[in-house]
Amino acid sequence: MDEVVAAVEEVKKQWNETWVQTQEHVKSIEEFGKSRNASGEKNSLPRLNGLAQDGLAMLDSLQFKLDVLAPQLPTYDDIESAQTLLESWKQQSRSLRLAVRNANLQAKANMRKAAQEERELLLGGGEESTVRRRNLQTKAGMTSAAESITESLRHTRQLMVQEVERSASTLMTFEESAGVLKKAEKEYKGHRSLLMRSRNLLSTMQRQDVLDRIIIVVGFVLFSCAVLYVVSKRIGLLKLQQKVTAAIKAGMFREAEFGPGPQPAADGVNIARHHNIVPKAMNPLEPAMHDEL
């Protein structure tokens, strides 16, 4: 069997069951208040109406399902049959709603009639009237206690609903906080690599700074040594130049005093004068002195 056909059959079965149950509820509403215990059954009338309204809502839902499934049936005859059945269901649903309304009117009439009979009994004399009043007082006390308990339960239910709403709000806040924390964690993980690179760069810069300082200090020391060396050399050369100049001057003075030319010795060997010795001794130093200057 096709799935659509099976679904249509299931909807028909549910319709029949719901229709029978709703009719029973309507009948119960119509007969409500006919017995002598109508005052004790007063609280069940809203319940019966609620059951009847639930049945009507279920029937509307089944009508909608059949309306959706009808065009999907495999044959044209099945589609026509389903649409005809749908129209029949709509008429039955309207008649059932009218029956619920008439049943409620009948229930109210029964309740008024029962109240009138009850009033006549209470106003009448005799032992039956006294017993009836006592029963009504007892039922009134029980009704009051039941109403008090119902009100307490209603208040408790409201408190529970408020607590549930507060818990739901707290849970939503926790979820939002968890989402913010996860986002912050992701951002931290994203910045973590940047922080590590920055830290490595700072370490490299610190090492480069120390190396630059060492190079500067070493260069300054070498420059100072070179300066000291040059200065010491210049001071030594000046002193040597002064000595050479003084020696030349002394030689020239002696030559001017004694006259030029060598003096012959007894053995025939020429003896050089002091001014000839000093220049010859100083001649090897002249190129070096010139280079230093």
Side-chain angles (χ1 to χ4, degrees):
M1 183 181 295
D2 190 31
E3 293 182 358
V4 178
V5 177
V8 170
E9 294 297 329
E10 182 66 23
V11 169
K12 291 179 180 179
K13 182 179 179 182
Q14 292 179 2
W15 171 273
N16 293 328
E17 294 177 356
T18 307
W19 173 262
V20 172
Q21 292 176 0
T22 307
Q23 281 186 334
E24 292 178 355
H25 296 323
V26 172
K27 187 176 181 181
S28 299
I29 293 171
E30 187 177 0
E31 294 179 353
F32 183 82
K34 289 184 178 181
S35 63
R36 296 288 297 273
N37 296 326
S39 60
E41 296 176 354
K42 185 177 181 179
N43 293 327
S44 64
L45 181 60
R47 182 177 64 85
L48 293 174
N49 278 293
L51 294 174
Q53 293 298 327
D54 292 341
L56 291 173
M58 186 65 181
L59 293 176
D60 292 339
S61 176
L62 294 173
Q63 290 178 22
F64 179 76
K65 288 183 179 179
L66 184 61
D67 191 12
V68 172
L69 293 173
Q72 302 178 13
L73 291 171
T75 61
Y76 181 78
D77 294 337
D78 293 337
I79 294 174
E80 289 291 333
S81 177
Q83 290 178 352
T84 303
L85 182 61
L86 180 60
E87 293 296 329
S88 175
W89 283 4
K90 290 180 179 179
Q91 294 178 1
Q92 291 178 5
S93 179
R94 286 193 292 268
S95 64
L96 191 59
R97 290 180 185 278
L98 183 61
V100 171
R101 181 180 178 183
N102 294 331
N104 277 289
L105 294 175
Q106 184 64 37
K108 290 180 180 179
N110 294 335
M111 290 171 62
R112 286 195 296 270
K113 184 177 180 180
Q116 183 66 27
E117 292 178 356
E118 191 72 26
R119 189 179 298 109
E120 291 176 358
L121 275 173
L122 291 174
L123 293 176
E127 184 178 357
E128 184 179 358
S129 177
T130 304
V131 174
R132 190 66 177 173
R133 282 195 297 269
R134 289 178 181 176
N135 291 334
L136 288 175
Q137 291 176 358
T138 304
K139 290 180 180 179
M142 293 175 64
T143 303
S144 178
E147 290 178 355
S148 177
I149 293 171
T150 304
E151 186 66 24
S152 178
L153 291 174
R154 187 180 293 109
H155 182 66
T156 304
R157 180 180 176 276
Q158 291 178 356
L159 292 177
M160 291 177 68
V161 170
Q162 292 177 0
E163 189 66 26
V164 170
E165 292 178 354
R166 190 181 297 109
S167 300
S169 177
T170 305
L171 183 60
M172 291 178 64
T173 304
F174 284 160
E175 290 178 355
E176 292 177 358
S177 301
V180 172
L181 290 175
K182 289 181 179 179
K183 185 177 180 181
E185 184 180 2
K186 290 180 180 179
E187 291 181 355
Y188 174 75
K189 289 180 179 179
H191 294 300
R192 187 176 181 181
S193 59
L194 180 61
L195 293 174
M196 292 296 293
R197 289 195 297 269
S198 301
R199 184 180 299 174
N200 294 332
L201 182 60
L202 289 174
S203 301
T204 304
M205 293 176 67
Q206 289 177 354
R207 290 194 297 268
Q208 189 66 32
D209 181 64
V210 173
L211 183 61
D212 291 342
R213 290 184 181 182
I214 293 173
I215 292 173
I216 291 172
V217 171
V218 173
F220 180 75
V221 171
L222 293 175
F223 178 75
S224 300
C225 293
V227 170
L228 291 175
Y229 176 76
V230 172
V231 171
S232 64
K233 279 290 188 180
R234 291 300 298 265
I235 292 173
L237 290 175
L238 288 174
K239 289 182 178 180
L240 183 60
Q241 186 178 4
Q242 291 175 359
K243 289 180 181 181
V244 171
T245 304
I248 293 172
K249 288 182 178 180
M252 291 175 64
F253 179 76
R254 289 178 182 178
E255 184 179 357
E257 183 179 358
F258 294 103
Q263 295 180 1
D267 51 0
V269 179
N270 294 329
I271 299 172
R273 292 182 182 270
H274 293 286
H275 64 275
N276 292 330
I277 296 172
V278 173
K280 289 181 180 180
M282 296 303 296
N283 284 335
L285 296 176
E286 288 179 0
M289 182 176 64
H290 179 72
D291 293 336
E292 291 295 335
L293 293 175

